[in-house]
Amino acid sequence: MSKKVRIGNITIGGGERIAVQSMATFKTSSEKALTQAVALYRAGCDILRFSVTDFEDAKAFGKIKKSVNIPLCADIHFDCRLAVAAVKGGADKIRINPGNVGSENGIKEIAAAVKAAGIPVRVGSNGGSIEKEFLDKYGKNEIALAESALKEVALLEKYGVYDIVVSVKASSPALTVKAYEYVAKKTDYPLHIGVTEAGTEYNGVIKNAVAIGTLLFRGIGDTIRVSLSADPLREIKAAKAILSAVGKESYGAEVIACPTCGRCEWDCMAFAEKTERFLDGVRKPLKVAVMGCVVNGPGEARDADIGIAGGKDCCMIFVKGEPYKKVKKEDAEAEFFAELKKCIP
Ligand code: SF4
């Protein structure tokens, strides 16, 4: 089991709930970043990261923290002075990349700042920026990716930092999985898992789901980020869907729907999508089924809390697989959504 690490008002590792992370896409000191942070917080983001590109960004954490009640992580590339400034500015965690953090002196400075503030550091190694020493020694593989991170971890420990989170991401799910399996054998620090540069939403979600799902099924991973070239709100939605699919815990309402077949006599797919939109953001665990036919639908979706199955002229609302109410097709949406409203707070 991994070690527990406290980040602001949450704890990750040691069997704690898997935390969902995302990253703001606007300049940290901008109003847009603040607005985005609030939206991500409301959507259920547990830890939110911001790039720190200058001292204005480093100072912005305090202001953002007044609007959101989740830990904020400062993402540092190249300049250790910005890490120190971000800690002073109110960041709850610092992320450094071993491939570009620079000298041992820089690490020493960061270590002194985080120890004084009592905040953790994520050592985040990426396939695209592995330290040259390890690339030369191993080539671009899981060992280079993981050892690059582990060297930085050892340096932080040398300067007295033991609240550490590790990530070893690649853009290939296969390399990502191998790197995390390797690093999980070498350290008991909690692991932040995900695929980096995964791509646009469709492909990116698939790559992340494959890697994150595989790792979580193997008991590896304490916090996840589904990196996507898309609105970060989509990352939160995807992360929750992956965690629900893995069965870690229910991350809110879930719609199950049949693929339909020749027995289907209504627009089941459109209805399922509408239902998903209706339930978007509902945190209460609720399994809702939208099924193509009354003959097989209710039975096949017996494990759903509530569901609807379409017929030629009418639809059947069912509860735990048992018929509850027959409604006219044209009233189906209003009737079903009224029943759903009764189930959610
Ligand atoms: S529930 Fe009915 S429509 Fe849907 S796949 Fe099964 S048999 Fe076909």
Side-chain angles (χ1 to χ4, degrees):
M1 179 143 329
S2 59
K3 188 184 155 179
K4 287 186 193 234
V5 168
R6 186 91 186 149
I7 307 164
N9 57 4
I10 71 163
T11 302
I12 63 162
E16 290 285 332
R17 179 181 152 267
I18 308 271
V20 170
Q21 307 210 18
S22 188
M23 186 164 180
T25 54
F26 297 108
K27 183 161 167 50
T28 305
S29 53
S30 70
E31 278 304 308
K32 279 183 172 176
L34 181 61
T35 307
Q36 190 174 48
V38 172
L40 286 162
Y41 166 61
R42 288 191 181 143
C45 179
D46 296 310
I47 301 171
L48 182 54
R49 184 159 48 115
F50 295 87
S51 55
V52 181
T53 59
D54 56 28
F55 289 100
E56 285 306 304
D57 288 344
K59 271 193 244 160
F61 287 92
K63 185 177 172 195
I64 299 167
K65 276 171 80 171
K66 285 187 186 139
S67 301
V68 300
N69 190 26
I70 48 173
L72 307 181
C73 176
D75 193 71
I76 308 296
H77 284 242
F78 299 106
D79 193 342
C80 295
R81 292 169 314 157
L82 291 177
V84 176
V87 174
K88 285 191 186 136
D92 300 294
K93 179 185 172 195
I94 297 293
R95 182 268 169 131
I96 54 172
N97 181 338
N100 65 33
V101 78
S103 66
E104 184 169 336
N105 266 342
I107 292 289
K108 196 175 164 184
E109 270 178 53
I110 294 176
V114 296
K115 270 197 304 176
I119 67 170
V121 177
R122 169 158 70 98
V123 174
S125 179
N126 271 359
S129 54
I130 299 171
E131 255 189 287
K132 192 172 176 304
E133 171 195 345
F134 296 102
L135 271 183
D136 291 347
K137 193 167 172 189
Y138 301 109
K140 189 180 169 182
N141 66 10
E142 69 276 14
I143 303 173
L145 192 49
E147 289 295 343
S148 180
L150 291 169
K151 180 187 163 192
E152 217 73 359
V153 168
L155 258 183
L156 284 166
E157 287 174 335
K158 179 176 164 185
Y159 292 107
V161 177
Y162 300 99
D163 287 330
I164 299 172
V165 180
V166 178
S167 65
V168 286
K169 300 181 181 183
S171 60
S172 137
L175 180 53
T176 300
V177 169
K178 280 190 209 162
Y180 278 101
E181 285 182 324
Y182 181 94
V183 86
K185 285 189 194 129
K186 301 253 177 177
T187 184
D188 61 359
Y189 287 122
L191 300 178
H192 163 130
I193 62 172
V195 171
T196 188
E197 293 120 25
T200 51
E201 188 168 357
Y202 182 80
N203 281 323
V205 169
I206 291 174
K207 284 187 197 169
N208 271 288
V210 167
I212 292 171
T214 303
L215 288 166
L216 290 178
F217 278 133
R218 291 178 189 172
I220 297 171
D222 303 284
T223 174
I224 71 171
R225 181 191 175 195
V226 179
S227 304
L228 299 175
S229 300
D231 185 328
L233 285 168
R234 308 300 293 168
E235 296 190 356
I236 303 299
K237 190 174 168 66
K240 290 181 172 181
I242 292 170
L243 289 171
S244 288
V246 173
K248 275 288 160 193
E249 67 178 81
S250 174
Y251 275 76
E254 174 193 5
V255 176
I256 59 166
C258 81
T260 78
C261 67
R263 292 180 195 91
C264 180
E265 293 183 284
W266 73 314
D267 196 350
C268 175
M269 294 182 194
F271 199 91
E273 278 177 16
K274 264 189 202 166
T275 307
E276 235 173 35
R277 283 198 293 275
F278 182 78
L279 293 170
D280 201 21
V282 172
R283 304 258 185 109
K284 184 186 166 185
L286 184 73
K287 199 177 232 186
V288 178
V290 179
M291 303 299 279
C293 72
V294 181
V295 186
N296 286 344
E300 284 182 20
R302 193 169 291 282
D303 63 336
D305 298 298
I306 182 166
I308 186 164
K312 197 160 188 276
D313 306 309
C314 52
C315 295
M316 174 66 75
I317 297 175
F318 55 91
V319 173
K320 301 271 182 207
E322 298 301 326
Y324 170 73
K325 198 178 196 183
K326 204 171 173 181
V327 296
K328 281 191 205 148
K329 218 172 190 171
E330 58 270 28
D331 300 334
E333 186 177 321
E335 293 268 3
F336 189 53
F337 289 3
E339 292 301 330
L340 290 182
K341 265 192 191 153
K342 292 184 199 165
C343 304
I344 55 184

